[in-house]
Amino acid sequence: MSSQRTALTPQSLIRSEIQALHAYHVPPSSGLIKLDAMENPYSLPEVVCAEIAALVADAAINRYPDAGAHSLKEAIRKVTQLPAGMEVLLGNGSDEIIQILAMAVAKPNAVLLSVEPSFVMYKMIAAFCGLRYVGVPLASDFSLDLPATLAAIEREQPALIFLAYPNNPTGNRFDAEAVQAILQAAPGLVVVDEAYYAFASDSFIPQLAHFDNLLVMRTYSKLGMAGLRVGFLAGSSAWLSQLEKLRLPYNVGVLPQLVAAKLLQHHDVLLAQAEWIKQERTRLMSALGAMRGVTAYPSEANFILFRVANATQVFDGLKQRGVLIKNLNGGHPALADCLRVTVGTAAENKRFIAALDDLINPLA
Ligand code: PMP
């Protein structure tokens, strides 16, 4: 059947800012030691696996999930010391929560502000939702450049600010007083993204009651549930009841709800694993620090950022030796020749260090 209309092409229909984006790239990892995505490398004790198997066997997967995810929220409240009166909003991963927040404030000309380098999804989701993105450069040691950040806030009047605490991909935790100064100066919401809270020495959850423009976001992805996709936002009901309207009713499935709630009953197991990861982080840091030609940056997360002379060559060499990490070279200029390694098990980290040593100091 012939049509009178001009040919429809994606180029003519899709918004130009979407056409300009590159899809979030997830490299194949089959057969490799996977140290690229900040996953918890440990498996669960057999008894916990058996409990999960029984739960899944009985799950009503013919039914829609509990739209309010009451049991999971209750489990989250139990393990998170939320100040009185604070509520929880659930996301299919915290990525989805970033999107909900961005959609909620996306008036014409509204600004989403973050620092750079930081988590790339802040900028991408700003584009998805038609927000103008402003990235304020971090100082050369990756700390917050407070004067520059405050000046940008004054100039841009952002509706939404994201601060990853600790930051990805740099690994450092920003100065708490600098974050408080940003909270005081911000005319809009400030979301403190605590994706790496399990490995960090501080949190803004206790501050929720002190700032009416503060929301704290967390994910369980790094604590051993990356495959479940469960994240949450904590804050006052004044904000969360508005944001709830943008949450798709069944955004967290039956199985993720059940399994995450069960795993939170075994929170001690997950925290013990996080403790092992922190111990391994210390070992990995000193091994990297002792290596000639490597500059490693301090981390309060489950990964370490480091710089070498020829990052892409080192990244490729590691892959040939069976180790997949993240190559940050060629992205943000502040990350030239930078690589990011997720802390793995002791055996994985040893393999990584041996391969890196082999590449950097082949004749030693
Ligand atoms: N925030 C930060 C700072 C992250 O590094 C990540 C994951 N890389 C996320 C949020 C998203 O995590 P998820 O969607 O798995 O909850």
Side-chain angles (χ1 to χ4, degrees):
M1 212 172 72
S2 72
S3 156
Q4 295 300 309
R5 61 174 170 75
T6 48
L8 175 66
T9 62
Q11 286 69 31
S12 65
L13 191 68
I14 305 280
R15 287 151 51 203
S16 57
E17 60 271 30
I18 303 302
Q19 292 189 47
L21 290 175
H22 294 283
Y24 188 86
H25 175 60
V26 180
S29 58
S30 160
L32 298 171
I33 294 179
K34 195 171 183 312
L35 301 178
D36 67 328
M38 286 79 98
E39 293 144 333
N40 173 345
Y42 300 104
S43 49
L44 292 164
E46 258 177 52
V47 280
V48 179
C49 289
E51 287 177 40
I52 290 172
L55 263 183
V56 171
D58 284 346
I61 54 173
N62 55 318
R63 302 286 177 199
Y64 282 108
D66 171 4
H70 294 93
S71 305
L72 176 54
K73 278 192 182 171
E74 190 51 42
I76 291 173
R77 291 191 153 280
K78 267 200 183 129
V79 300
T80 315
Q81 266 98 51
L82 287 184
M86 294 302 151
E87 300 292 330
V88 167
L89 175 142
L90 284 180
N92 192 294
S94 47
D95 283 345
E96 191 188 39
I97 296 173
I98 302 170
Q99 192 172 42
I100 287 174
L101 284 157
M103 284 192 292
V105 301
K107 294 180 189 168
N109 302 319
V111 167
L112 184 156
L113 182 143
S114 191
V115 292
E116 287 193 349
S118 188
F119 185 40
V120 292
M121 289 309 289
Y122 305 145
K123 185 177 182 178
M124 282 189 78
I125 289 174
F128 297 175
C129 298
L131 286 163
R132 192 157 63 80
Y133 169 81
V134 174
V136 183
L138 292 172
S140 58
D141 62 354
F142 300 129
S143 63
L144 282 174
D145 183 342
L146 189 58
T149 310
L150 293 178
I153 290 171
E154 173 72 25
R155 191 178 62 243
E156 307 286 351
Q157 296 289 302
L160 192 54
I161 298 177
F162 281 96
L163 294 172
Y165 188 87
N167 190 34
N168 171 21
T170 58
N172 58 314
R173 185 175 58 71
F174 299 135
D175 178 55
E177 283 179 18
V179 175
Q180 282 167 4
I182 290 170
L183 273 156
Q184 259 145 16
L189 280 172
V190 178
V191 181
V192 175
D193 178 352
E194 297 190 351
Y196 301 97
Y197 76 95
F199 318 99
S201 63
D202 189 42
S203 165
F204 267 75
I205 291 233
Q207 311 258 3
L208 276 169
H210 302 144
F211 295 96
D212 63 2
N213 59 342
L214 168 64
L215 297 172
V216 178
M217 188 171 76
R218 285 186 171 182
T219 175
Y220 291 120
S221 294
K222 325 294 171 181
L223 193 63
M225 305 189 210
L228 294 179
R229 309 299 296 126
V230 175
F232 72 92
L233 186 70
S236 69
S237 61
W239 288 114
L240 265 52
S241 59
Q242 296 295 331
L243 298 169
E244 270 292 341
K245 299 175 194 173
L246 289 164
R247 186 182 64 80
L248 297 176
Y250 305 117
N251 64 330
V252 182
V254 170
L255 299 182
Q257 284 192 33
L258 276 173
V259 178
K262 168 58 69 185
L263 284 175
L264 291 179
Q265 285 169 18
H266 293 288
H267 198 227
D268 53 330
V269 172
L270 300 175
L271 288 183
Q273 294 183 340
E275 210 45 52
W276 301 340
I277 291 169
K278 286 200 280 183
Q279 285 167 16
E280 275 305 308
R281 178 181 71 196
T282 306
R283 281 196 207 106
L284 199 51
M285 190 70 196
S286 45
L288 286 170
M291 219 178 270
R292 221 163 4 106
V294 175
T295 308
Y297 295 91
S299 170
E300 286 207 19
N302 62 342
F303 59 84
I304 295 174
L305 181 80
F306 64 101
R307 204 183 288 268
V308 292
N310 198 335
T312 298
Q313 215 170 308
V314 170
F315 171 80
D316 290 339
L318 285 168
K319 209 153 105 181
Q320 276 158 18
R321 287 162 178 75
V323 184
L324 180 66
I325 64 167
K326 176 86 173 175
N327 186 6
L328 297 162
N329 190 39
H332 195 277
L335 298 173
D337 273 330
C338 280
L339 299 166
R340 186 192 66 198
V341 62
T342 301
V343 179
T345 62
E348 289 173 335
N349 300 335
K350 262 193 202 129
R351 283 274 304 275
F352 158 71
I353 287 291
L356 182 64
D357 201 28
D358 186 35
L359 282 159
I360 291 189
N361 300 305
L363 302 175

